[in-house]
Amino acid sequence: MKTSLLLLLSISALLMNVQAADSKIASGTVNALGVDLYHAQAHGDGNLLLSPYSIQSALAMTYAGAAGDTQAEMQRVLHFPADDNALHESFSVLGQALAQTAKKTVDRIAESKKYGGPSTPIEFDLANRLFAQRGYDFRPSFLDLVKERYGAELEQMDYKTDPEGARKTINQWVEKQTKEKIRDLIPAGAIKHDARLTLVNALYLRAPWSDEFNAKATTKEKFLVHGRESAEVPMMQKESHCGYARREGFQIVTRPYVGGELQFVILLPDDPAGLAAMEKQLTPKLIEDCAHLSSQKVILHLPKFRLEPPTIPLGEDLKALGMKTAFDDPKGSANFDRMAPRRPNDYLYISAVLHKTYLALDENGTEAAAATAVVVAAGMAMIKQPPPVEVRVDHPFLFMIQHVPSGACIFIGRVTDPR
């Protein structure tokens, strides 16, 4: 008897020191897998957008049900520690820290408005849910863990007789949680009658700049599309204090969102055609370093852009990284016994991992969205300031949205054509 389980994570449009320390396990795994999948997806010269936090959170919930060789394999590929409790606790703390990032800005905005500061707080909403087959024998310990650590409530579904209805229900939930930025996350046919569970995480992010760009200063400037052909695009301009560093062959600029706990990171190669070479230097350590750059006055020219790529299948990338038995390769090898009892003729396995994203950046800030679906089936002091640095982002670049206290990469991508 075949049974499928779909795990979905959706993230829309992008603490204290103790909390930051506790979240380091989760943020470390997010960044490490993010680098792996970025390298796997960075073929060709097109735009790219992923949410490492979305993907890893979804897989962490799935991992909670893995056992035996499948558990060991997922632990290795996903960069998870041996201590499961520490892992899930860390994801819980990181989720709370991200939620608190938004709540903190509400009070700060009320005060700053008195002095003409930013007037819009960050919106950062996280939600998890389990869409489970009615009557299926899921282990209470698994359901309790994902509810306690990830806040995932259980909703009964009937995949057996109405898989298409279940797909529409899940997609509608995702659309609502992401303010309709992620539509049709799960494509037609992705959920079949053998589905048994869909784990869903939704996140919505709207992050205003701490110091907005003046729309009147936005002008048409040249951008070397794909590092080759010149095109005029709307280019924002602003002189302000930013994080700044120069590395061999590229510059890094970080620009804070209101509240300062989230930032937009730009990695710009010196060579207009040097994006691919720079991407090879992308490591979890580099991502972590971006959270601790020295501040400097920067004159920044940054193109407005909007990315809305189609759903990306990540299953083959994860298998290539070594996570094979989770996908029941070879047949009969998947083991999710900690999720539901494994029987010879009824066991769970991942049949697909689907990911969808959205990001729009303009003078006011950033709105971002992403969604990941994992389908599991069963088979059988005063210092003289240096002059400002002028940075023209007029050719392909890599970018991130980063949670500064933890260093976690919420979104990562590249822009080769901002049009």
Side-chain angles (χ1 to χ4, degrees):
M1 172 185 178
K2 286 203 163 197
T3 310
S4 78
L5 176 153
L6 173 70
L7 183 150
L8 168 86
L9 175 65
S10 172
I11 296 191
S12 173
L14 227 170
L15 295 164
M16 298 175 64
N17 289 336
V18 173
Q19 286 182 312
D22 288 344
S23 64
K24 285 297 182 182
I25 294 174
S27 62
T29 72
V30 166
N31 294 348
L33 183 65
V35 169
D36 289 344
L37 292 177
Y38 183 93
H39 287 315
Q41 287 288 320
H43 42 74
D45 59 1
N47 295 330
L48 174 63
L49 179 61
L50 298 170
S51 173
Y53 176 78
S54 170
I55 298 166
Q56 190 67 298
S57 296
L59 291 170
M61 288 194 287
T62 312
Y63 174 75
D69 290 343
T70 298
Q71 180 186 5
E73 199 174 74
M74 292 183 72
Q75 179 188 334
R76 182 177 65 254
V77 171
L78 301 178
H79 306 276
F80 288 164
D83 188 339
D84 285 6
N85 186 62
L87 172 72
H88 299 302
E89 173 64 20
S90 186
F91 267 98
S92 177
V93 171
L94 179 56
Q96 293 173 41
L98 293 173
Q100 285 296 320
T101 292
K103 293 178 181 179
K104 290 177 181 179
T105 65
V106 175
D107 294 334
R108 291 175 181 173
I109 289 300
E111 184 65 23
S112 71
K113 286 172 68 175
K114 300 177 184 178
Y115 308 99
S119 59
T120 306
I122 286 176
E123 292 182 61
F124 207 148
D125 302 320
L126 291 163
N128 296 301
R129 182 159 297 187
L130 301 182
F131 295 90
Q133 172 62 43
R134 185 179 293 109
Y136 195 74
D137 189 21
F138 293 106
R139 294 193 185 277
S141 56
F142 168 75
L143 299 178
D144 289 346
L145 188 153
V146 294
K147 182 177 181 179
E148 178 183 356
R149 300 303 193 193
Y150 299 90
E153 297 288 343
L154 184 69
E155 183 171 335
Q156 303 287 341
M157 307 291 285
D158 188 359
Y159 297 106
K160 293 181 179 179
T161 62
D162 189 13
E164 180 60 16
R167 183 183 74 89
K168 291 180 178 179
T169 296
I170 296 167
N171 279 347
Q172 288 169 359
W173 186 86
V174 171
E175 289 181 20
K176 181 179 179 180
Q177 299 303 317
T178 62
K179 301 186 187 296
E180 301 185 344
K181 295 303 177 185
I182 299 295
R183 297 175 179 269
D184 299 320
L185 169 64
I186 308 172
I191 292 183
K192 305 183 186 300
H193 64 84
D194 61 352
R196 293 298 175 265
L197 180 66
T198 305
L199 300 89
V200 183
N201 171 282
L203 178 159
Y204 175 82
L205 171 64
R206 182 190 290 273
W209 302 113
S210 63
D211 187 10
E212 296 181 350
F213 290 83
N214 186 340
K216 294 181 179 179
T218 299
T219 59
K220 291 281 188 177
E221 293 187 24
K222 291 183 179 180
F223 186 97
L224 286 176
V225 177
H226 305 308
R228 299 186 299 269
E229 49 190 271
S230 179
E232 288 196 339
V233 303
M235 190 76 72
M236 306 182 297
Q237 302 176 41
K238 185 74 175 181
E239 179 176 339
S240 62
H241 279 95
C242 300
Y244 179 81
R246 171 167 283 287
R247 297 292 180 88
E248 185 176 353
F250 65 97
Q251 300 175 82
I252 307 173
V253 179
T254 65
R255 202 165 194 282
Y257 294 107
V258 65
E261 291 194 357
L262 293 176
Q263 65 179 10
F264 186 77
V265 183
I266 303 162
L267 280 73
L268 180 70
D270 296 338
D271 182 353
L275 180 62
M278 186 189 71
E279 287 173 334
K280 294 178 180 178
Q281 300 184 58
L282 180 65
T283 64
K285 177 62 167 57
L286 177 57
I287 294 177
E288 172 65 22
D289 289 348
C290 290
H292 310 287
L293 300 186
S294 298
S295 178
Q296 184 166 337
K297 185 69 73 70
V298 175
I299 302 172
L300 180 64
H301 301 248
L302 180 64
K304 297 168 63 172
F305 63 91
R306 174 174 171 171
L307 304 179
E308 195 170 3
T311 297
I312 302 172
L314 295 175
E316 291 302 316
D317 293 330
L318 291 167
K319 289 171 70 174
L321 290 171
M323 208 174 90
K324 294 185 177 181
T325 65
F327 291 88
D328 207 32
D329 181 10
K331 186 171 178 58
S333 63
N335 187 347
F336 286 93
D337 186 68
R338 294 193 300 169
M339 186 179 292
R342 191 185 192 285
R343 302 182 177 91
N345 64 341
D346 187 359
Y347 63 93
L348 299 174
Y349 70 93
I350 298 175
S351 61
V353 178
L354 307 172
H355 185 59
K356 194 171 186 179
T357 50
Y358 169 94
L359 189 144
L361 180 144
D362 60 20
E363 292 89 351
N364 299 316
T366 302
E367 187 176 27
T372 307
V374 180
V375 184
V376 180
M380 319 193 33
M382 293 301 291
I383 302 174
K384 183 179 180 180
Q385 296 294 323
V389 175
E390 185 165 15
V391 178
R392 290 183 177 273
V393 185
D394 59 0
H395 54 269
F397 62 97
L398 188 154
F399 69 87
M400 294 179 283
I401 294 179
Q402 183 177 42
H403 180 238
V404 178
S406 68
C409 180
I410 311 302
F411 287 89
I412 188 170
R414 67 182 182 191
V415 176
T416 61
D417 186 351
R419 295 175 297 180

